[in-house]
Amino acid sequence: MAVETGSRTLQWGCHYQGRNLLGGKFLYEGAPPLVIARGGYSGLFPDSSQFGYQFALSDSLPEVVLFCDLQLSSDNVGFCKTGLALDDSTLIAKVFPKNDKTYKVNGDDLHGWFSVDFTSNQLMDNVTLIQNVLSRPSIFDGTMGISLVDDVVELHPPQLWINVQYGQFFLDHKLNIEEYISSRAKKIGVNYVSSPEVGFLKSLGGKLGKSNVKLIFRFLDQQLIEPSTKQPYGAILKDLKSVKAFASGILVPKTYIWPVDKDHYLQPATTLVKDAHGLDLEVYAFKFANDFISSYNYSYDPSAEYLQFIDSSDFSVDGVLTDFPSTASAAIACLAHTKDSPLPPPGNDTRPLIITHNGACGLFPGCTDLAYQQAVEDGADIIDCSVQMSKDAVPFCLDSPDLTKGTTAATVFLTKAATVNEIQNGSGIFSFDLLSNEIQTLKPDLVGPYNQEGLKRNPAAKNSGKLMTLVDFLSFSKSSNICGVLVDVHNAPYLATRGIDIVDAVSSALINASYDKETRQQALIASDDSAVLRAFKKFPAFKRVLQIGNAISDVSKASVEEMAKFANAVSISRGSVVQTQGSFLLRFTDVIDKMHAANLSVYVGLLRNEFMNLGFDFWANPMVEIVTYSSLIADGIVTEFPATAAEYFRSPCSDFSKNLTYTIMPAKPGSLLKLTDPSALPPVQGPAPVLEPADVVDPPLPLVTISSPGASASLDGSSTTSGARVSTASSGIYLLVIGLSAFLLVSSQ
């Protein structure tokens, strides 16, 4: 079993094998795929900014390619900026409010501010950049100017990629981009030139002659018309041999390779990569970004998407064009070819425990058989059951006693709605008001925390699976290859007033499943109530975990000493580990160290993959958050996506002792804040409170009282002996149903 130390748990009885990975070595037949940084690190900084390019160079693979969308000023000076209309990503409209124009671009009218109407001095001296993706930081807006091509060249990038999206437009305005590139290609070190215009690439190829510059044909959406040939891009796609005549490779939207259906699920891969490689054409894919919704198959793990393109047994693209080059770099250097590697066992010198929250509820409704099966399959060490109690005292697993959260109870048992102030603010349909056979009729309901923001979780499985009783959960756990179970016990004092002894129900189930004698798996009892944990002290085989839900900035010595009297571990929030300012990390606390000093293990949660759950310092990559808490020697991480954690810990980059060419670095609080204008930051909030003994010591559990049938709620809305009250609306519905039932009974007689 576990042996406690001042850092991580030294040993768990998990039946894992060690790993044998080629740390730091690429396993590709040729060179690894290229990471192409679109406008630098445009996922954080404004597109094509100096900070963006510098950050891409410092936090990506050594061979990273800087991608410059080339535009020309009226005096033929080249600069990098995505999008023909400058007002989309700069403050030019404020500086030159009357200089907007409307031009024909590929047959359509386009209104805005355009580089052809301004000299280079006007643009460089007056125009600043902004972030044009709302989910990304805006505090750098207006602080950085436009980057000249020469500015990017002075950074000495390993490789430079020039993209010419609108060559004909500039030619129509007497600005020849072909001449600009051909006369400077060797001097500035251009390695790639891409364009969606066939005529431009053919003409440029003639000017470059035997140059080493690779010409890449960029495909747009298949229904759009290529301006030179007047053919749809989809038609050109069917004739790759014609592309080979003027280009050495193709740059395609990622859906050309892995199509996505209307419901955002992956379809079978096309043969494009194989077909192109068969013609000796290189294949590069674009539209990669950590904070764009792509396919539900990736479960909001951007690394999983990159691996879909570079780690297939059938093919690999030659490079990816991305707004987040560090994530692509990590996928290539750390994660590729490791999915079949075994997890190292959790321990002091390896990794923290992977602890689930409601199973793998990022993929399936929480606390269902499918969520637990997926969690085990994904590599979870500890699977959890938040115990709720039915009216007839049957324990089962669900995140909340309010059945409207996680089940379809609201559509079936509306008349059971009540308000129980001891449980939550507002009404609900509570498990202790329904019999176990009624609860078993409910369907689970998968609702993610960011549904309203459009980040749904696996809609195809919205009502899949079935709820599990605690007995069934323990039976499943015993038959699974895991380290143990975490049983979450809440609301014991209130349930006692309802005649329900949750402590006895849980302990009896664990004993009947022989967890008091188990040597292969550990049973953890978690609660925010010290009295509950004290009640389980008589079972020495069970590890007791105090849950501290609210964020704390520090912990007093007296409170740590008090916790050590009844708990073996603590579970703390992310906000107790790192303080934030707005969406930026500010500083680490020393809460973990102080808990370890008292011989308490520390579990950190709750981790979720959705990018809206992540501070900007994590680069919209949930794996960076995992790395960060692992580097702080957390003993466990609590997550709703165990596959993402296991994916990282299978990789050679999870071993901090290895001297690798590239690895995934933990976040550095304050590093991004130092780059900002302090006046643009949100106000600094006061620190979270310090944990004191009064915050962790609860009164003894009350005696369990036997309530009479029907005493759980009063119809007039007044309080009952259980502390529950029925809402007025629900009471009216309830009376209406009773009256209607009586009428039907009389009528039938």
Side-chain angles (χ1 to χ4, degrees):
M1 301 315 305
V3 178
E4 297 299 328
T5 70
S7 53
R8 283 202 186 119
T9 302
L10 279 177
Q11 184 62 46
W12 284 79
C14 307
H15 291 215
Y16 296 130
Q17 298 178 354
R19 65 184 175 190
N20 183 18
L21 302 176
L22 300 177
K25 295 183 179 180
F26 297 114
L27 304 180
Y28 301 95
E29 291 183 4
L34 289 175
V35 174
I36 309 159
R38 189 190 71 83
Y41 212 114
S42 53
L44 280 178
F45 301 98
D47 172 87
S48 303
S49 64
Q50 279 291 292
F51 276 5
Y53 283 122
Q54 292 169 3
F55 205 77
L57 289 173
S58 64
D59 287 82
S60 308
L61 283 170
E63 301 84 7
V64 65
V65 183
L66 296 189
F67 186 91
C68 167
D69 256 304
L70 178 62
Q71 299 202 43
L72 296 179
S73 62
S74 62
D75 50 346
N76 205 46
V77 174
F79 65 94
C80 304
K81 193 78 210 75
T82 301
L84 193 58
L86 298 181
D87 51 301
D88 286 342
S89 53
T90 75
L91 293 174
I92 192 170
K94 290 186 176 181
V95 181
F96 301 104
K98 297 181 180 181
N99 290 58
D100 53 319
K101 299 283 183 64
T102 299
Y103 290 117
K104 284 284 185 184
V105 180
N106 295 333
D108 296 321
D109 287 338
L110 181 63
H111 181 80
W113 281 254
F114 300 90
S115 65
V116 296
D117 298 317
F118 300 90
T119 67
S120 57
N121 285 339
Q122 285 178 304
L123 294 174
M124 300 306 122
D125 295 342
N126 300 284
V127 179
T128 53
L129 306 174
I130 61 172
Q131 178 61 261
N132 62 353
V133 179
L134 295 179
S135 60
R136 298 174 181 176
S138 60
I139 61 169
F140 303 108
D141 290 0
T143 63
M144 290 172 271
I146 291 174
S147 298
L148 297 175
V149 173
D150 291 343
D151 295 331
V152 179
V153 171
E154 287 177 2
L155 296 175
H156 304 291
Q159 298 187 79
L160 179 62
W161 185 309
I162 298 293
N163 181 67
V164 179
Q165 198 74 2
Y166 302 98
Q168 186 60 49
F169 173 82
F170 288 99
L171 194 60
D172 292 342
H173 289 80
K174 307 297 189 280
L175 294 168
N176 194 328
I177 286 191
E178 296 170 20
E179 191 65 35
Y180 178 90
I181 294 174
S182 60
S183 63
R184 294 168 173 80
K186 186 174 182 179
K187 178 182 178 181
I188 65 177
V190 178
N191 304 95
Y192 300 85
V193 175
S194 60
S195 177
E197 298 177 358
V198 172
F200 171 82
L201 290 176
K202 286 183 175 180
S203 179
L204 180 62
K207 288 183 172 65
L208 290 174
K210 295 183 179 180
S211 167
N212 292 327
V213 176
K214 292 184 178 182
L215 301 183
I216 308 296
F217 180 54
R218 181 172 186 168
F219 281 85
L220 304 182
D221 291 345
Q222 296 195 34
Q223 74 277 8
L224 295 179
I225 303 299
E226 193 281 318
S228 307
T229 64
K230 308 303 181 185
Q231 294 185 74
Y233 286 97
I236 301 175
L237 185 68
K238 297 175 182 178
D239 186 18
L240 289 178
K241 287 184 179 179
S242 67
V243 176
K244 178 62 179 174
F246 62 87
S248 58
I250 56 176
L251 175 62
V252 300
K254 59 189 179 182
T255 52
Y256 271 42
I257 299 169
W258 283 101
V260 177
D261 66 18
K262 61 181 179 60
D263 296 318
H264 299 290
Y265 287 95
L266 287 179
Q267 299 298 291
T270 67
T271 61
L272 174 60
V273 177
K274 289 184 177 180
D275 295 343
H277 283 169
L279 295 170
D280 203 25
L281 282 169
E282 296 173 356
V283 181
Y284 303 92
F286 70 95
K287 291 191 177 180
F288 287 93
N290 295 9
D291 53 358
F292 289 173
I293 301 173
S294 181
S295 168
Y296 294 121
N297 296 78
Y298 304 130
S299 300
Y300 299 103
D301 177 3
S303 299
E305 181 174 25
Y306 290 113
L307 293 175
Q308 192 77 15
F309 288 81
I310 66 171
D311 198 25
S312 168
S313 59
D314 293 331
F315 63 82
S316 170
V317 298
D318 298 286
V320 292
L321 177 61
T322 175
D323 293 5
F324 292 84
S326 64
T327 307
S329 297
I332 293 168
C334 299
L335 307 176
H337 311 296
T338 64
K339 60 184 176 183
D340 294 326
S341 302
L343 271 171
N348 189 43
D349 298 321
T350 51
R351 63 172 180 85
L353 289 164
I354 301 172
I355 305 171
T356 67
H357 178 249
N358 303 326
C361 67
L363 282 75
F364 293 102
C367 300
T368 60
D369 55 342
L370 296 181
Y372 291 127
Q373 291 166 16
Q374 188 67 50
V376 173
E377 181 181 327
D378 288 344
D381 301 307
I382 304 290
I383 59 175
D384 70 304
C385 171
S386 292
V387 177
Q388 311 303 334
M389 301 295 293
S390 67
K391 188 175 182 178
D392 47 347
V394 175
F396 68 99
C397 304
L398 196 64
D399 188 47
S400 170
D402 182 358
L403 299 175
T404 65
K405 303 172 182 177
T407 80
T408 56
T411 64
V412 184
F413 294 107
L414 186 59
T415 58
K416 298 282 189 178
T419 298
V420 183
N421 293 323
E422 294 88 341
I423 302 296
Q424 66 182 32
N425 295 324
S427 63
I429 300 172
F430 297 99
S431 63
F432 41 76
D433 287 329
L434 273 71
L435 297 172
S436 58
N437 59 357
E438 293 177 308
I439 293 172
Q440 287 299 320
T441 66
L442 298 174
K443 291 182 179 180
D445 189 21
L446 176 57
V447 178
Y450 301 102
N451 260 36
Q452 292 185 345
E453 291 81 3
L455 304 183
K456 296 180 180 179
R457 292 182 174 180
N458 195 12
K462 180 173 175 57
N463 300 120
S464 299
K466 63 178 182 179
L467 300 179
M468 297 186 76
T469 65
L470 178 59
V471 170
D472 291 339
F473 168 80
L474 295 175
S475 176
F476 169 75
S477 303
K478 290 292 287 273
S479 64
S480 302
N481 183 26
I482 56 176
C483 296
V485 295
L486 184 146
V487 181
D488 196 343
V489 180
H490 277 260
N491 304 313
Y494 173 75
L495 290 171
T497 68
R498 297 292 299 267
I500 299 173
D501 191 338
I502 188 173
V503 171
D504 180 69
V506 169
S507 59
S508 296
L510 287 168
I511 291 171
N512 290 338
S514 301
Y515 269 97
D516 57 331
K517 302 179 180 66
E518 176 64 58
T519 58
R520 189 177 66 90
Q521 293 183 1
Q522 172 83 65
L524 290 78
I525 305 298
S527 182
D528 60 354
D529 191 325
S530 63
V532 169
L533 299 182
R534 291 182 190 277
F536 278 94
K537 285 191 71 174
K538 61 183 177 182
F539 303 105
F542 302 162
K543 186 173 181 176
R544 300 175 303 281
V545 183
L546 177 66
Q547 294 174 326
I548 304 172
N550 295 328
I552 56 175
S553 61
D554 200 353
V555 54
S556 69
K557 182 179 180 181
S559 63
V560 173
E561 293 173 349
E562 190 63 42
M563 286 184 283
K565 295 177 183 178
F566 57 81
N568 311 106
V570 292
S571 179
I572 59 177
S573 68
R574 300 178 305 160
S576 298
V577 177
V578 58
Q579 297 176 358
T580 61
Q581 184 174 355
S583 295
F584 293 90
L585 305 188
L586 185 60
R587 65 178 67 88
F588 289 127
T589 71
D590 58 0
V591 170
I592 291 180
D593 291 339
K594 289 186 176 181
M595 296 293 189
H596 281 164
N599 236 18
L600 291 168
S601 298
V602 181
Y603 308 141
V604 179
L606 178 62
L607 277 62
R608 293 169 169 144
N609 279 8
E610 289 93 344
F611 65 86
M612 295 188 72
N613 192 58
L614 302 169
F616 290 134
D617 300 75
F618 295 126
W619 308 335
N621 183 359
M623 200 165 288
V624 175
E625 185 176 34
I626 293 168
V627 175
T628 301
Y629 299 136
S630 181
S631 71
L632 296 174
I633 319 297
D635 302 282
I637 55 172
V638 184
T639 175
E640 297 179 340
F641 294 86
T644 303
E647 180 182 40
Y648 168 68
F649 291 121
R650 285 191 180 97
S651 79
C653 295
S654 65
D655 188 343
F656 295 135
S657 67
K658 288 183 177 293
N659 184 21
L660 304 178
T661 304
Y662 183 85
T663 193
I664 308 173
M665 297 299 294
K668 298 177 181 178
S671 60
L672 287 180
L673 285 174
K674 292 177 181 178
L675 303 176
T676 66
D677 179 359
S679 64
L681 292 171
V684 178
Q685 296 181 343
V690 176
L691 193 70
E692 299 291 352
D695 301 317
V696 298
V697 177
D698 297 288
L701 294 176
L703 295 176
V704 176
T705 58
I706 307 300
S707 58
S708 60
S712 61
S714 62
L715 297 181
D716 62 0
S718 61
S719 297
T720 67
T721 56
S722 67
R725 62 181 177 85
V726 180
S727 67
T728 304
S730 299
S731 300
I733 296 172
Y734 183 71
L735 291 172
L736 179 61
V737 171
I738 292 176
L740 182 59
S741 300
F743 173 78
L744 293 175
L745 178 62
V746 172
S747 300
S748 65
Q749 292 175 344

